[in-house]
Amino acid sequence: MYQWVLVHRRMDPESVAAALGIPVGNATATLRRLAELRLIAPLPGGEGAGYAVPPDVAMAQLAAPGEDRIRREEEWIADRRALLSGFMPYYYGVDRHRDTGVEVLSSLSDVRSALNQAAEQCRTEVLASQPGGGSRAPEAMQEALVRDRALLGRGIRMRTLYHHTARFNGPSQAYVEAASRLGGQYRTSHELFGRLIVFDRHLAFVPASDGSWGSVAVRQPWLVAYLCEIFEQTWDRARPFAVAAAEGLEKVAQDIDRTIVELLAAGLKDEAIARRLGMSLRTARRHIADIMQQLDAESRFQAGVAAVRAGLLPE
């Protein structure tokens, strides 16, 4: 029908119906549909005269209202985007970690700055767990003593946990002896839960879990209270740090050996045992070799059996 109108330039239903051999009603409905699609249009002044419109022109006519509507919507979106983007600096410029009570410090300089600020603002108490105390460098000990002297001089109560291995380290012994005279309290344990520093039971620092020098500052009250409870439980079981003349190292060495036997029986590897006890891998393997020799065992399984027989492990 479109082709017929194109050729004959007429669009009255009777002419179309007669030419195509279809009912007038069908011709009327189809001509109406073609007109809705803008494919045919009447000629002015001509009774029943009309013409076919090129499909691309018809498409442009049909799309014009929709395109105009889309253009207005795009202008509205662009206007709102420009308006709201002005609020971005305010949102991203605020430390939102404070709302959750957790702040990630990714660099060593950020960690030092936060620790120094926390130490300056501290008013009552510092709790610290320092695993691996037996491997701290003398320079680090001296730097820590300067910082701790300032805190203790202000009347801040300080309690610090170390691994038992710190007792065998000369710099650690000298540091603890000097800081103890200033009022610091130090204890050691064969195992520690990890590194922790808490200021005034309000702000806690724990190490980042990615192995970097980063840290996580925790201000969430319930979480800080939980960390303090873990510290207190370990503190109650720990031994006061004492030089060899006061307590001797034999008992501490026995505790270390007993713990190594327990960890061996639990199936831990040398690396894990060294990490748990805060000693180097070389030192841990030397202890393991000494224990194996004392138990007259050629394998770890034999060592476990001998340890049970010797009363070092429960059956």
Side-chain angles (χ1 to χ4, degrees), residues 1-32 34 40 47-51:
M1 189 175 298
Y2 171 78
Q3 185 179 22
W4 191 90
V5 174
L6 175 64
V7 173
H8 296 89
R9 296 179 67 82
R10 293 194 62 81
M11 51 180 292
D12 55 294
E14 293 77 9
S15 299
V16 173
L20 299 181
I22 61 175
V24 175
N26 290 358
T28 300
T30 304
L31 287 168
R32 185 184 304 113
L34 289 172
I40 60 174
E47 185 68 24
Y51 64 96

Side-chain angles (χ1 to χ4, degrees), residues 10 19 24 42-43 46 107 131 142 166 185 187 252 272 287:
R10 293 194 62 81
V24 175
L43 283 170
S107 68
Q142 187 62 35
Q185 300 178 55
R187 293 186 180 184
V252 173
H287 276 281

Side-chain angles (χ1 to χ4, degrees), residues 61-91:
Q61 293 176 358
L62 286 175
E67 291 176 341
D68 184 62
R69 188 165 55 250
I70 292 172
R71 183 168 55 253
R72 291 196 302 269
E73 293 289 340
E74 289 178 339
E75 291 175 352
W76 183 89
I77 292 173
D79 178 70
R80 294 303 183 273
R81 181 176 287 116
L83 175 63
L84 297 181
S85 64
F87 291 86
M88 291 293 191
Y90 299 98
Y91 182 80

Side-chain angles (χ1 to χ4, degrees), residues 131-145 162 169-173 175:
S135 59
R136 300 182 69 184
E139 297 80 6
M141 290 289 187
Q142 187 62 35
E143 181 181 351
L145 184 59
Y162 289 117
N169 180 263
S172 296
Q173 293 174 356
Y175 163 77

Side-chain angles (χ1 to χ4, degrees), residues 81-204:
R81 181 176 287 116
L83 175 63
L84 297 181
S85 64
F87 291 86
M88 291 293 191
Y90 299 98
Y91 182 80
Y92 289 105
V94 174
D95 183 6
R96 299 181 306 284
H97 291 295
R98 296 183 182 275
D99 297 334
T100 62
V102 177
E103 179 182 3
V104 178
L105 307 172
S106 56
S107 68
L108 182 59
S109 60
D110 289 342
V111 174
R112 286 179 172 173
S113 176
L115 286 173
N116 290 335
Q117 182 179 5
E120 292 174 0
Q121 296 175 352
C122 184
R123 293 293 177 266
T124 59
E125 181 184 40
V126 176
L127 309 177
S129 172
Q130 300 285 0
S135 59
R136 300 182 69 184
E139 297 80 6
M141 290 289 187
Q142 187 62 35
E143 181 181 351
L145 184 59
V146 172
R147 182 179 60 250
D148 294 350
R149 182 181 288 113
L151 286 166
L152 293 168
R154 302 203 318 261
I156 306 299
R157 184 189 183 196
M158 292 187 62
R159 288 185 292 160
T160 305
L161 286 167
Y162 289 117
H163 272 122
H164 278 336
T165 51
R167 296 171 179 259
F168 300 88
N169 180 263
S172 296
Q173 293 174 356
Y175 163 77
V176 170
E177 184 177 359
S180 296
R181 288 198 298 266
L182 299 174
Q185 300 178 55
Y186 300 87
R187 293 186 180 184
T188 65
S189 176
H190 55 283
E191 286 189 88
L192 291 180
F193 49 84
R195 193 171 303 278
L196 171 69
I197 303 178
V198 183
F199 295 91
D200 292 336
R201 296 181 180 262
H202 171 72
L203 171 60

